[in-house]
Amino acid sequence: MDAALVDAELGRLAASAPFRRAHRHLRFLRHLLALARAGDSAGLREMALGVAVFHRRADQFDPRSDSIVRVEARRLRQKLADYYAGEGREAAIEFALPIGSYQIEVRPRLRPVPEAVHLGRAALALGTLPASQRAVSLAEQALGEAPDLGLAWLLKSAALVSAVGLTTLPAPGAMPAAREAARRALADPRLPDVERAEAHSLLALVAFSHDRTWPQALQEVRRAQLLAPSAPLHAREGWMLMYARRFDAARRAYAAARARDPLSLTYRVHESLIALYERNYAQAAAGFEDVLSVAPGHVVAQSLSAALHLYEGRHAAGERAYRQLQASLPSLSIGLCGLAQALALQGDAAAAEATFGELTQRFEAGAAPPYQLAMVRARLQDAPGALHWLDRAAALHDFNLVCAAVDPAFDSLRPLPAFGERLVHWGLAADRDGTPIIPA
């Protein structure tokens, strides 16, 4: 249990009516907590407690004839019960002294969790566009029922990040809101350590992808790892390492994530994305096909599979794939973005420009990220235009900008000093030659 939470609860308890003048029982409680923190089981013996807490002489105290420790332990239990039934009824954690033991227990006090939280987390696990949008609304519903519930704030943070990743919400508003929601989650002392770790990992993601401050992101990851290593945490670390071009380390992180959660299709997609960024397109294609064979509607796998056609020179196949994606998910801008790229790569500049115009209208309506417009300009061999839209992506904290250091769509820009300088300025490379920002 977080020491700060324990100390805060101890301070509230000490100021309460049952304990305000009960100096002996407060001293007893503080001593038991100190023993628990130190892991000192020998200090819990009745003999040791009689001497240390109740000032009995070691050469004279006999617990068999002097019941001071047992009597005061019983009175302490009663005072704790009185406190948690009254002034402490809203306490986030509680101190408990089980009958027959002097081992103090510090445990969170359970509270009802709105069903919307469970439904929202289930929706996020699906990884689909409609489910992500539903998770955002379920988070708001849960917060309407329990405004200070950390689990509800955590759901909101995760749902907003997911929505930005699927380009259904603009990053400038959603990512700061996700950061604030994660902080609100951590402010709930009832939030279990596993979920506290998740909140820290969300803060790491925002720091890396929105603020592009790797030291802060690394600090948050380490905080999370100390609390509770988990599959999502390993995956989040792998995600950051991937975009920093630490591919081997990223692959190890995703392998650790899949070892804990072998059923996650998202982790499979991201492992394949590592191969894509390494330009190992055959391996990437096999991974995406595996996912689509069991989840044909997986949006990220669909869009990346379509992109592979373009990267491997199958431009007509890429056009067909993106037209299908646009028809099935018209609200997503990725279909138009890919279609414009495919048309440009096939030499149909007029059609590509017309589609780019539609994409620009989406951007002006807040429904397309500037990073996607930069991708199209790069495919049209318009380097100044691509750099202009990448600058817009940086200014608007476009979630996708972290991809720029590894994205094959911008390979035509890599020889340009202006592109390398921007990667450094954006915090995506250590120097303009593209040295990774995260040391090996």
Side-chain angles (χ1 to χ4, degrees):
M1 183 68 69
D2 190 314
L5 297 179
V6 172
D7 290 341
E9 175 59 15
L10 190 57
R12 285 188 290 269
L13 181 144
S16 69
F19 284 92
R20 196 173 298 128
R21 295 182 178 85
H23 305 299
R24 171 181 283 191
H25 297 108
L26 270 176
R27 184 172 69 248
F28 193 9
L29 177 60
R30 291 181 192 277
H31 185 74
L32 293 177
L33 286 168
L35 292 174
R37 285 177 176 174
D40 184 358
S41 57
L44 293 173
R45 292 197 299 266
E46 196 168 336
M47 180 71 184
L49 292 171
V51 173
V53 180
F54 303 108
H55 308 302
R56 293 302 196 256
R57 288 181 52 173
D59 59 343
Q60 295 181 358
F61 179 48
D62 183 355
R64 292 172 297 182
S65 58
D66 187 343
S67 61
I68 182 69
V69 178
R70 297 189 297 277
V71 169
E72 295 306 325
R74 184 170 64 252
R75 290 173 177 167
L76 175 59
R77 290 188 194 97
Q78 186 58 54
K79 285 187 176 294
L80 288 171
D82 292 344
Y83 169 71
Y84 289 115
E87 293 177 59
R89 61 183 174 276
E90 295 298 324
I93 60 174
E94 66 178 322
F95 305 126
L97 189 60
I99 294 175
S101 171
Y102 300 122
Q103 178 72 56
I104 196 74
E105 294 181 0
V106 184
R107 54 200 185 200
R109 304 195 80 205
L110 300 179
R111 62 186 300 189
V113 176
E115 186 63 19
V117 171
H118 302 305
L119 290 173
R121 292 177 73 86
L124 281 181
L126 296 176
T128 64
L129 172 61
S132 174
Q133 293 171 324
R134 179 62 177 146
V136 174
S137 64
L138 285 166
E140 295 297 347
Q141 180 183 326
L143 287 168
E145 298 177 37
D148 62 342
L149 182 65
L151 287 172
W153 284 108
L154 184 64
L155 171 62
K156 180 175 181 177
S157 180
L160 288 170
V161 166
S162 175
V164 171
L166 292 171
T167 68
T168 61
L169 284 178
M175 292 300 272
R179 182 199 296 118
E180 177 60 21
R183 288 174 176 168
R184 293 287 298 270
L186 289 169
D188 181 0
R190 296 180 177 87
L191 192 68
D193 282 351
V194 171
E195 282 72 22
R196 298 185 81 80
E198 184 181 349
H200 281 296
S201 71
L202 285 165
L203 288 174
L205 187 150
V206 174
F208 185 74
S209 64
H210 182 265
D211 305 328
R212 298 186 295 280
T213 54
W214 168 247
Q216 182 181 347
L218 181 60
Q219 183 182 52
E220 295 293 352
V221 165
R222 287 174 176 168
R223 285 176 177 169
Q225 289 170 334
L226 287 173
L227 283 167
S230 65
L233 177 56
H234 286 301
R236 195 138 290 152
E237 181 184 17
W239 184 87
M240 290 187 289
L241 289 165
M242 172 173 62
Y243 287 119
R245 292 193 298 122
R246 290 282 312 285
F247 298 130
D248 288 341
R251 190 173 283 107
R252 288 193 295 272
Y254 274 111
R258 283 190 59 194
R260 290 175 176 267
D261 183 4
L263 302 183
S264 172
L265 296 179
T266 299
Y267 301 162
R268 289 176 179 270
V269 169
H270 285 183
E271 280 186 311
S272 300
L273 186 55
I274 296 171
L276 186 155
Y277 288 147
E278 290 176 314
R279 307 318 192 249
N280 187 343
Y281 296 140
Q283 181 181 339
F288 298 145
E289 287 169 9
D290 283 345
V291 171
L292 292 171
S293 70
V294 297
H298 198 288
V299 178
V300 178
Q302 281 182 308
S303 61
L304 290 172
S305 183
L308 273 177
H309 290 305
L310 304 187
Y311 300 151
E312 294 190 289
R314 300 189 301 274
H315 303 148
E319 178 185 349
R320 290 192 297 272
Y322 277 115
R323 286 190 185 280
Q324 291 173 0
L325 190 61
Q326 176 64 14
S328 61
L329 294 168
S331 63
L332 279 186
S333 58
I334 189 62
L336 279 178
C337 172
L339 177 58
Q341 291 181 74
L343 293 169
L345 289 168
Q346 291 178 91
D348 193 344
E353 291 286 6
T355 307
F356 178 80
E358 293 183 58
L359 196 61
T360 304
Q361 292 177 0
R362 293 272 192 108
F363 165 74
E364 292 170 349
Y371 185 88
Q372 291 183 354
L373 282 80
M375 295 171 76
V376 178
R377 298 320 305 177
R379 297 301 196 181
L380 284 164
Q381 300 301 309
D382 176 13
L387 292 173
H388 163 77
W389 283 107
L390 285 171
D391 286 337
R392 294 292 300 274
L396 294 173
H397 296 277
D398 187 340
F399 185 93
N400 300 282
L401 186 65
V402 294
C403 308
V406 293
D407 194 338
F410 296 112
D411 282 353
S412 63
L413 302 183
R414 301 198 189 281
L416 303 179
F419 182 68
E421 290 165 1
R422 280 170 167 79
L423 290 179
V424 175
H425 179 68
W426 297 330
L428 300 178
D431 55 47
R432 70 181 192 181
D433 294 328
T435 302
I437 53 175
I438 304 173

